[in-house]
């Protein structure tokens, strides 16, 4: 069992093996957070490394006021957002102002359903969403963070997190229903 207090204490006492344990424990979490925001594979790997460097350098400031996973996910999220801000020309368009009227493209979804399994198809739909929706869906459903923890990680108010989750689920449902109707015609 991973004991946060013990591992952090060992890392602060210069135990490199303890830091390896921390990296192994949270590398998937960091990757999931970054993966939904950043498209370029090399950049994803670089950002993951940068996150763990920041964690190591800042661990002495961690005061256990939240879970260690929440604190690390926040560092990952902010690092990815900063990367996107620096590389705006290479990133997909930012959060549209008319988000309530946001719709996916109709680029032959029938072929996508045939080529890929359902999970891959849903991931494809999530990738097309604005990054705020991708982030809250990933943190809530894949990483199983609560809405309050997502607020801590992203600094998005808890009510807005719930709203984003609701809207994102609604968009996914509408798109899947639309594609299933096309398939059955």
């Amino acid at each position: 069992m991973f004991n946060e207090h013990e591992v952090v204490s060992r890392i602060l006492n210069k135990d490199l093996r303890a830091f390896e344990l921390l990296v192994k424990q949270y590398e998937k979490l960091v990757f999931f957070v970054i993966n939904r925001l950043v498209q370029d594979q090399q950049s994803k790997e670089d950002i993951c490394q940068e996150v763990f460097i920041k964690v190591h350098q800042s661990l002495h400031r961690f005061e256990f006021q939240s879970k260690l996973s929440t604190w690390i996910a926040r560092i990952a999220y902010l690092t990815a957002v900063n990367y996107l801000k620096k590389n705006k020309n290479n990133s997909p368009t930012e959060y549209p102002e008319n988000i309530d009227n946001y719709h996916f493209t109709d680029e032959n979804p029938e072929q996508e359903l045939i080529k890929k399994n359902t999970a891959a198809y849903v991931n494809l739909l999530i990738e097309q969403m604005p990054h705020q929706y991708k982030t809250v869906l990933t943190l809530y459903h894949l990483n199983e963070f609560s809405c309050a923890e997502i607020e801590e990680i992203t600094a998005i108010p808890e009510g807005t997190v719930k709203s984003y989750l609701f809207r994102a689920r609604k968009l996914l449902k509408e798109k899947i229903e639309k594609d299933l109707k096309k398939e059955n015609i």
Side-chain angles (χ1 to χ4, degrees), residues 16 45 110 162:
L16 292 178
E45 293 169 10
E110 185 175 10
K162 289 176 182 177

Side-chain angles (χ1 to χ4, degrees), residues 76-97:
Y77 174 77
L78 292 174
T79 303
V81 167
N82 286 338
Y83 166 82
L84 291 174
K85 286 179 184 174
K86 287 180 191 171
N87 298 293
K88 254 189 178 170
N89 296 339
N90 300 337
S91 68
T93 57
E94 281 298 309
Y95 189 67
E97 288 184 28

Side-chain angles (χ1 to χ4, degrees), residues 6-142:
E6 180 186 328
V7 171
V8 169
S9 176
R10 287 175 48 199
I11 293 169
L12 294 175
N13 288 321
K14 313 269 189 257
D15 183 345
L16 292 178
R17 287 197 178 261
F19 188 69
E20 287 177 30
L21 285 172
L22 181 137
V23 171
K24 283 186 194 280
Q25 181 72 22
Y26 296 114
E27 64 189 349
K28 286 182 182 173
L29 167 67
V30 169
F31 181 77
F32 276 131
V33 172
I34 293 167
N35 187 47
R36 288 286 187 212
L37 297 172
V38 179
Q39 304 303 313
D40 177 59
Q41 185 62 36
Q42 183 62 48
S43 297
K44 289 178 191 180
E45 293 169 10
D46 293 345
I47 294 168
C48 285
Q49 288 180 349
E50 184 180 343
V51 166
F52 284 110
I53 290 169
K54 288 178 178 182
V55 166
H56 191 270
Q57 292 172 341
S58 304
L59 199 56
H60 66 279
R61 292 192 297 248
F62 180 65
E63 297 175 354
F64 293 99
Q65 293 180 351
S66 65
K67 292 193 295 187
L68 185 59
S69 59
T70 304
W71 184 74
I72 290 172
R74 177 156 177 77
I75 292 172
Y77 174 77
L78 292 174
T79 303
V81 167
N82 286 338
Y83 166 82
L84 291 174
K85 286 179 184 174
K86 287 180 191 171
N87 298 293
K88 254 189 178 170
N89 296 339
N90 300 337
S91 68
T93 57
E94 281 298 309
Y95 189 67
E97 288 184 28
N98 63 342
I99 194 64
D100 290 327
N101 299 320
Y102 186 82
H103 296 284
F104 296 97
T105 63
D106 287 326
E107 293 183 38
N108 210 338
E110 185 175 10
Q111 287 180 348
E112 287 297 327
L113 281 170
I114 292 169
K115 289 190 316 189
K116 299 180 181 193
N117 63 29
T118 304
Y121 173 67
V122 170
N123 281 327
L124 176 71
L125 293 179
I126 292 171
E127 285 301 319
Q128 295 175 12
M129 293 181 143
H131 83 267
Q132 288 89 338
Y133 285 7
K134 288 190 280 192
T135 301
V136 296
L137 280 172
T138 300
L139 292 174
Y140 189 81
H141 289 291
L142 297 179

